[in-house]
Amino acid sequence: MSVIVNWDKIDGLLPVVVQEYSSGEVLMLAYMNQEALELTQSSNLAHYYSRTKSQIWKKGQESGNFQIVKSISLDCDNDALLLKVEQIGNAACHTGAKSCFFNHLNLEKNRDLDLNKTIKYDILDHLYHIALDRKLNPSDKSYISKLYAKSPDSYLKKIAEESCELNLAIKELQRFKLYSNLNLENFGEHKPNDPKYDIIYEAADLLFHMIIALADCDIHPNAILDELKRREGVSGIIEKNSRDK
């Protein structure tokens, strides 16, 4: 299966963690553009992209501390690399140290560490990464992959459809409140006499397809939540007027 690299997140660059093949020690962090990755794959020698000099450089070209690449792995989001290398020479760092990671920061000890209080991925993050995976690693059995394969119009059409269905579900709830006591008709498409659940159901459909659209644009759902938080405490009228300007 061919793997699609996501070059869009950091302006055409991938962060690269470099690990010594024999010991597992982390040696350095660098970046690659597409050309540097292709040179690395074709030569088995590590090539990186210098963000300060805006050019490709072969590790060891000047120092003699070459890196023979043993394996290349792409992370789950297809936007970061792990290189396992045989380090030629004793230094991977330009300072002459074996590893670039020799400055140690203090870590506060917490004897009452509660693992239950650690941050957990929420469902929005989970769905976002599933959508990213289906975009970068298409599958014939995936509904999301099929939407991406057709064109943006396919998921945009679904967003419009689900938005309309949500509107209808809200209207249905209003009718239920007015006429349910007359027993003239049944309300609730998914649960008998529970049209409020229809709103939840259709809103979930809408949000799901919105996440697919956001993932296609490499925008995490948290960015939307951050924008809502930014607007908190701001008058809706003032906020709208600022957009009009």
Side-chain angles (χ1 to χ4, degrees), residues 23-53:
S23 68
E25 183 177 2
V26 176
L27 300 177
M28 56 184 282
L29 173 71
Y31 289 84
M32 286 186 181
N33 62 4
Q34 188 168 357
E35 184 181 359
L37 177 57
E38 291 172 353
L39 286 170
T40 299
Q41 291 177 296
S42 62
S43 68
N44 281 24
L45 292 173
H47 290 71
Y48 303 110
Y49 182 82
S50 171
R51 293 176 297 163
T52 55
K53 297 180 180 179

Side-chain angles (χ1 to χ4, degrees), residues 11-78:
D11 298 326
L13 298 178
L14 297 184
V16 184
V17 177
V18 185
Q19 184 180 31
E20 188 172 45
Y21 181 75
S22 58
S23 68
E25 183 177 2
V26 176
L27 300 177
M28 56 184 282
L29 173 71
Y31 289 84
M32 286 186 181
N33 62 4
Q34 188 168 357
E35 184 181 359
L37 177 57
E38 291 172 353
L39 286 170
T40 299
Q41 291 177 296
S42 62
S43 68
N44 281 24
L45 292 173
H47 290 71
Y48 303 110
Y49 182 82
S50 171
R51 293 176 297 163
T52 55
K53 297 180 180 179
S54 299
Q55 65 183 35
I56 294 173
W57 57 286
K58 181 167 70 174
K59 179 65 177 174
Q61 183 71 48
E62 297 180 1
S63 65
N65 297 318
F66 296 96
Q67 291 175 345
I68 301 174
V69 180
K70 298 294 187 178
S71 70
I72 305 176
S73 301
L74 197 60
D75 79 333
C76 57
D77 291 332
N78 294 35

Side-chain angles (χ1 to χ4, degrees), residues 89-103:
N90 295 322
C93 182
H94 74 282
T95 64
K98 179 180 180 181
S99 169
C100 294
F101 296 95
F102 54 80
N103 292 311

